[in-house]
Amino acid sequence: MSKILSVISSPRGEASNSIKLANAIIDQLKAQDPGAAVDVKDLTKSPFPHLEEAHLNAFFTPIEHHTEENKAAISHSNQAIKEIMDADVIVIGAPMYNFGIPSVLKAWFDHIARAGITFKYGANGPEGLVTGKKAYIAVATGGVYSSGPAAGYDFVVPYIKAFLGFIGITDVTVVRAEGFAVADLQETALDKAIDSIVL
């Protein structure tokens, strides 16, 4: 039985197109594997704190020297890393906000990036330690960023793919729902994206 981690970063709930697209991906995954367990991580309801001095001090202090303050500060990071390590498949819903990802998703990534745990530096440079995972990125945008004049403004897909690759997740499929703010595209944007899903 596979384990699917569904990561929500949109606060729009049932109105969110990134959530709808991510759920469509999960529905197809469950159709292939009916016994799959889904763990939903809604970052808008339980946001991770932005990194502060206490978090960084805990990250760089050897575990055997952790104080109670260090243990409290690193608890979010430990939780996030355990959840991603336990998952076989990660589905990330990512709406585009001002050409980038929502800050709640960035904060979650910041707690996952831990030297010696999710990546390490070797003789040939950085090496990801989160291996054997499949990831899907469900991207929702008002405009069209996959090609054309606005493509250079897309800092969602390149960033997420780079981050996941850095920690070792290189099997990544991107599904885009585009044009929700474009009059002649918005009516079919979601259906077109769902039809394009390839597992």
Side-chain angles (χ1 to χ4, degrees):
M1 183 177 74
S2 62
K3 295 182 180 178
I4 302 169
L5 177 63
S6 173
V7 182
I8 294 172
S9 64
S10 169
R12 298 183 65 227
E14 293 182 359
S16 167
N17 291 305
S18 66
I19 293 175
K20 291 175 184 176
L21 182 56
N23 285 341
I25 294 170
I26 292 168
D27 286 345
Q28 292 195 25
L29 290 169
K30 291 199 71 177
Q32 283 193 351
D33 181 8
V38 181
D39 179 20
V40 178
K41 188 73 177 179
D42 190 337
L43 300 175
T44 69
K45 293 181 179 177
S46 299
F48 278 52
H50 292 161
L51 292 185
E52 297 179 352
E53 183 180 9
H55 302 115
L56 297 173
N57 286 342
F59 288 178
F60 294 111
T61 299
I63 292 176
E64 62 271 19
H65 296 139
H66 273 184
T67 64
E68 290 305 312
E69 181 183 8
N70 292 150
K71 292 175 183 177
I74 211 166
S75 62
H76 286 90
S77 176
N78 288 342
Q79 173 192 350
I81 290 171
K82 182 181 187 306
E83 289 169 345
I84 204 169
M85 289 293 197
D86 286 347
D88 301 299
V89 181
I90 300 123
V91 180
I92 300 173
M96 177 184 282
Y97 287 176
N98 301 311
F99 312 120
I101 62 174
S103 64
V104 291
L105 183 55
K106 175 63 164 62
W108 185 69
F109 284 151
D110 286 343
H111 282 271
I112 289 169
R114 291 261 301 277
I117 297 178
T118 55
F119 70 92
K120 67 179 181 180
Y121 290 104
N124 298 316
E127 178 185 343
L129 301 177
V130 186
T131 58
K133 315 290 182 185
K134 170 69 182 181
Y136 294 88
I137 310 172
V139 184
T141 59
V144 176
Y145 296 89
S146 59
S147 61
Y153 290 94
D154 177 16
F155 299 100
V156 173
V157 172
Y159 172 73
I160 297 178
K161 288 185 72 174
F163 178 83
L164 293 177
F166 183 77
I167 64 171
I169 303 174
T170 56
D171 186 359
V172 179
T173 296
V174 177
V175 185
R176 292 179 181 265
E178 304 183 279
F180 289 103
V182 180
D184 58 345
L185 298 178
Q186 56 192 198
E187 291 296 326
T188 59
L190 184 60
D191 289 339
K192 183 178 178 182
I194 292 173
D195 289 343
S196 75
I197 296 171
V198 177
L199 300 184

